[in-house]
Amino acid sequence: MKREIAQLLKDAVLKAQGAGDLPPFELPPLIVEQPQREEHGDYANNLALQVAGRVGMPPRQVAEIVVKHLPPAEFISRVEVAGPGFINFTLDDGWLARQVETILAQGPSYGRLDLGRDKRVQVEYGSANPTGPLHVGFARNVVLGDSLANLLEAAGYEVQREYYVNDTGTQMRLFNESLYARYAQALGREEEIPEGGYRGPYMVEWGREIAEVEDDRYLQMPREEALEAIGEVGLSKVLEGVKEDLELLGIRYDNWFSERSLYEDGYFGEVMEILRQGGHIFEEEGAIWFGASALGGDKDEVVVRSTGEPGYFASDIAYHYQKFIKRGFDWVIDVWGADHQGHVPRMKAMMRALGLDPERLTLLIYQLVTLKRGGEVLRLSKRTGDIITLREVLDEVGPDAIRFFLLTHAADSQMDFDLELAKEQSQENPVYYVQYAHARIASVLRYAGDFDYSDGDLSLLTHEAELALLRQMVLLPDIVELAATNLAPHHLTYYAQDLASAFHSFYKQCRVVSSYPEDMPLNKARLKLVKACQIVLAQVLGLMGVSAPEKM
RNA sequence: GCGCCUGUAGCUCAAUUGGAGAGAGCGACUGACUACGAAUCAGUAGGUUGUGGGUUCGAGUCCCGCCAGGCGCACCA
């Protein structure tokens, strides 16, 4: 809708200029917004205020001229110049009512846009070190990434969801050694957990499980071989748990990508050769460096340590080389916690070194979640094992409430997550308010039974509460655009509440299924309205990855 | 010390990319079920947007300084 109005305004300005009523000037980006106050209409534009200075006329006069040249549109019933020079638009009631038919016809594709024009975008999220059970902080990452992927899909992008498995490197080695130690201990052998190793109780359990199944088989092997073999077992245990948690959260990936494969399949070698030829690689003190500072990075970065082991950044380079050059994504979004925020400059430098537009890589940074239990701050550490696991919270609170809660905060906003508080408040989570609206509609439709309302006359929808509801319903495409272009899924949660609120209010004021024969035509129209509303509710819930129940 | 993020109602957070009188939820208070779900609705109270300057028709939003909090600043990830 905003786009349509912007187009009308553009046409009007061009016409006015053509007619000589306005001098030629370059059109600023046309911002169509929803005013806060009802008497300012449904949409507003500030173009006259923006250009008044350049045009040399008072803003109200500019606005009047634009309005005079505004082409008529069926969805607008009134255009007004107001305040210092705003142009306010009011939606036509009849048009609003007719949108019910549009929504019913489009069904689950209502709200879909073509902003993406089939551009291929990859959203990479999750990607925690596979060294233990997931904690709640991690959930923010996947919930954000998953809803974002939903939004981009709705906006018309071709989206791939990818999970990056960090199955190599120092942390993996520590994990393997820790697991080996627990395994050996389970068999009565003295074995130390390494410095910086993983001490969580789950490691003890896994060590025991492996000992039960495999007996002392790994103890018979050379240590290096045993570490590798036991590491494989451990990795599969971790990933199994991760997949179960993600399943509970309703998250599925298109692809699981192994960090190790970057080396095994030769991508690392390839990209290093390219960077070397580009003069971005140098050697110093036995290590191999990437000259990031020459490309806008804050400092140069070690790629291969003097021990000969590639560092984390080495994988990042090879991984993104693989994403862009081998797989050809037009756009890649990595969802990262704020603890990785300092790595953004070197990633951008890497893009430049590979001759890629840095704009094609978006690092979406979200602020970390502070975990608390009964008001006490917990340090989240898989190494010490002092965590609130995601599973624990899913069992206590439920996936819908978790997802909604995590989505209500903008990525930039820090969050506290208190398990005790979450349990207490889960019943008051606004998600149920939204779901209740959906279930309530399902109930009304059940009550209506097989009553045929397909010939309902929508022009009967003139009640104030009906129109208020319709105004919310037709907002969905604008919300999808807003949230998708800003990579900001939190807008969905607020919209969902507004929509549900408009429905509940309508429901209180307007009887949908009446037994009086003379109400029959209105019943039919309202059943259509309610059905369409259910579709919109289901859409927005779906974008958030929250279920849309028929009963609660 | 340097970089990034944040500071808005008692609490948790929004605020349409610089717009009109800053909005929700929770909590508090007042009211509403004799036909479709009260997990609901209608209403009241609650604010010097951390602070001091600046930019302009207009600032919670942009710029500068301070104060406070979070996260970084390794041949860890």
Side-chain angles (χ1 to χ4, degrees):
Chain A
M1 197 49 48
K2 291 185 179 178
R3 291 178 164 263
E4 276 95 335
I5 290 172
Q7 189 58 45
L8 292 179
L9 285 162
K10 190 176 170 190
D11 292 348
V13 170
L14 293 177
K15 259 173 64 187
Q17 288 175 334
D21 290 349
L22 283 177
F25 58 86
E26 202 184 327
L27 211 56
L30 289 166
I31 298 165
V32 177
E33 57 181 16
Q34 294 165 249
Q36 292 176 358
R37 299 182 60 74
E38 215 175 299
E39 66 259 32
H40 295 149
D42 293 305
Y43 294 94
N45 172 265
N46 62 350
L47 137 95
L49 289 157
Q50 288 178 299
V51 302
R54 265 182 286 161
V55 173
M57 291 183 204
R60 286 196 62 110
Q61 192 184 339
V62 177
E64 296 289 357
I65 293 169
V66 173
V67 169
K68 204 180 83 184
H69 288 92
L70 213 54
E74 58 148 0
F75 53 88
I76 297 297
S77 64
R78 198 163 46 119
V79 182
E80 269 181 342
V81 176
F86 292 102
I87 304 175
N88 295 337
F89 299 83
T90 303
L91 292 173
D92 181 69
D93 291 351
W95 177 84
L96 271 170
R98 288 195 295 279
Q99 293 318 292
V100 167
E101 213 65 73
T102 308
I103 295 167
L104 291 175
Q106 295 187 11
S109 62
Y110 179 67
R112 290 192 70 90
L113 313 170
D114 67 346
L115 300 179
R117 307 214 179 273
D118 295 321
K119 272 170 81 174
R120 293 180 64 228
V121 53
Q122 182 200 60
V123 186
E124 180 215 320
Y125 54 101
S127 312
N129 272 329
T131 53
L134 300 173
H135 62 74
V136 199
F138 169 86
R140 186 172 195 189
N141 186 311
V142 288
V143 165
L144 203 57
D146 192 58
S147 288
L148 188 60
N150 292 343
L151 274 166
L152 292 172
E153 236 162 37
Y157 289 90
E158 189 187 318
V159 178
Q160 194 212 38
R161 299 142 193 268
E162 181 151 297
Y163 191 107
Y164 181 50
V165 183
N166 305 114
D167 51 7
T168 181
T170 312
Q171 295 308 315
M172 207 59 226
R173 180 165 186 90
L174 283 169
F175 172 78
N176 294 352
E177 285 173 354
S178 305
L179 185 57
Y180 180 86
R182 291 305 191 196
Y183 158 77
Q185 287 167 3
L187 292 168
R189 264 254 295 259
E190 290 276 321
E191 191 79 34
E192 287 289 305
I193 303 290
E195 180 75 28
Y198 292 84
R199 296 174 183 279
Y202 61 92
M203 291 295 272
V204 179
E205 198 180 312
W206 288 352
R208 198 169 45 229
E209 281 175 25
I210 295 169
E212 274 166 25
V213 177
E214 303 287 348
D215 202 12
D216 65 349
R217 192 161 74 87
Y218 296 120
L219 291 181
Q220 308 298 334
M221 295 180 182
R223 190 183 159 85
E224 275 307 310
E225 208 178 301
L227 279 175
E228 200 173 308
I230 215 164
E232 287 303 315
V233 178
L235 179 63
S236 65
K237 278 182 182 293
V238 173
L239 289 181
E240 198 181 306
V242 168
K243 285 179 183 176
E244 278 173 24
D245 286 357
L246 290 172
E247 187 69 28
L248 287 172
L249 269 175
I251 292 174
R252 293 234 173 99
Y253 283 90
D254 300 311
N255 197 34
W256 293 69
F257 191 92
S258 153
E259 177 181 4
R260 206 187 301 160
S261 74
L262 292 168
Y263 300 93
E264 292 170 353
D265 297 344
Y267 297 119
F268 178 65
E270 282 179 36
V271 73
M272 284 304 277
E273 191 48 40
I274 293 171
L275 292 178
R276 198 167 276 127
Q277 281 174 10
H280 302 294
I281 295 293
F282 63 92
E283 211 164 313
E284 200 173 285
E285 293 172 13
I288 296 174
W289 296 71
F290 171 65
S293 55
L295 293 163
D298 42 359
K299 57 181 173 30
D300 292 337
E301 305 282 348
V302 168
V303 181
V304 181
R305 293 183 261 166
S306 51
T307 59
E309 290 169 289
Y312 176 82
F313 187 44
S315 299
D316 272 345
I317 295 172
Y319 189 24
H320 288 80
Y321 162 76
Q322 203 270 356
K323 289 187 189 195
F324 283 104
I325 295 173
K326 293 295 172 181
R327 285 194 274 174
F329 286 109
D330 297 303
W331 185 21
V332 168
I333 301 172
D334 296 346
V335 181
W336 283 2
D339 51 344
H340 289 72
Q341 156 270 121
H343 299 159
V344 172
R346 75 185 193 190
M347 295 297 284
K348 295 290 185 181
M350 171 206 71
M351 291 293 284
R352 290 187 191 98
L354 292 174
L356 298 166
D357 180 358
E359 292 289 305
R360 288 171 63 191
L361 175 64
T362 299
L363 290 319
L364 181 65
I365 305 292
Y366 62 92
Q367 298 301 310
L368 298 179
V369 179
T370 306
L371 299 185
K372 293 184 175 176
R373 186 176 257 139
E376 187 191 344
V377 176
L378 298 179
R379 292 200 50 209
L380 44 98
S381 168
K382 263 186 270 190
R383 297 183 194 178
T384 60
D386 188 15
I387 58 174
I388 298 176
T389 63
L390 177 52
R391 185 67 62 90
E392 194 178 345
V393 181
L394 284 169
D395 290 345
E396 295 279 359
V397 181
D400 287 338
I402 299 279
R403 285 195 72 136
F404 196 89
F405 172 74
L406 290 171
L407 282 177
T408 49
H409 298 57
D412 274 341
S413 130
Q414 283 163 225
M415 300 182 65
D416 285 353
F417 188 93
D418 190 315
L419 183 59
E420 299 306 320
L421 219 58
K423 278 193 260 182
E424 281 170 30
Q425 294 181 348
S426 64
Q427 284 311 304
E428 289 142 21
N429 191 306
V431 74
Y432 301 119
Y433 180 81
V434 180
Q435 290 181 315
Y436 182 60
H438 187 273
R440 224 179 183 185
I441 292 173
S443 170
V444 172
L445 294 175
R446 281 194 298 273
Y447 182 82
D450 51 11
F451 176 65
D452 180 14
Y453 54 88
S454 59
D455 64 342
D457 176 6
L458 295 170
S459 69
L460 297 173
L461 299 175
T462 55
H463 191 284
E464 197 186 334
E466 293 166 337
L467 294 168
L469 175 56
L470 284 161
R471 287 191 149 82
Q472 285 298 323
M473 288 162 57
V474 300
L475 235 49
L476 180 69
D478 286 346
I479 298 295
V480 170
E481 177 168 355
L482 174 73
T485 55
N486 291 301
L487 309 181
H490 72 275
H491 290 295
L492 294 171
T493 63
Y494 292 92
Y495 171 64
Q497 291 180 77
D498 289 344
L499 177 61
S501 171
F503 168 74
H504 287 307
S505 179
F506 152 81
Y507 186 80
K508 197 72 178 181
Q509 296 175 65
C510 301
R511 179 85 201 175
V512 178
V513 182
S514 155
S515 48
Y516 301 119
E518 64 270 27
D519 290 338
M520 188 81 91
L522 188 56
N523 287 354
K524 289 180 173 177
R526 284 182 173 167
L527 278 164
K528 275 187 169 178
L529 170 66
V530 152
K531 178 66 195 165
C533 179
Q534 191 187 34
I535 288 171
V536 182
L537 279 165
Q539 276 300 102
V540 67
L541 285 167
L543 289 169
M544 295 186 289
V546 171
S547 66
E550 298 283 311
K551 288 180 182 172
M552 304 176 56

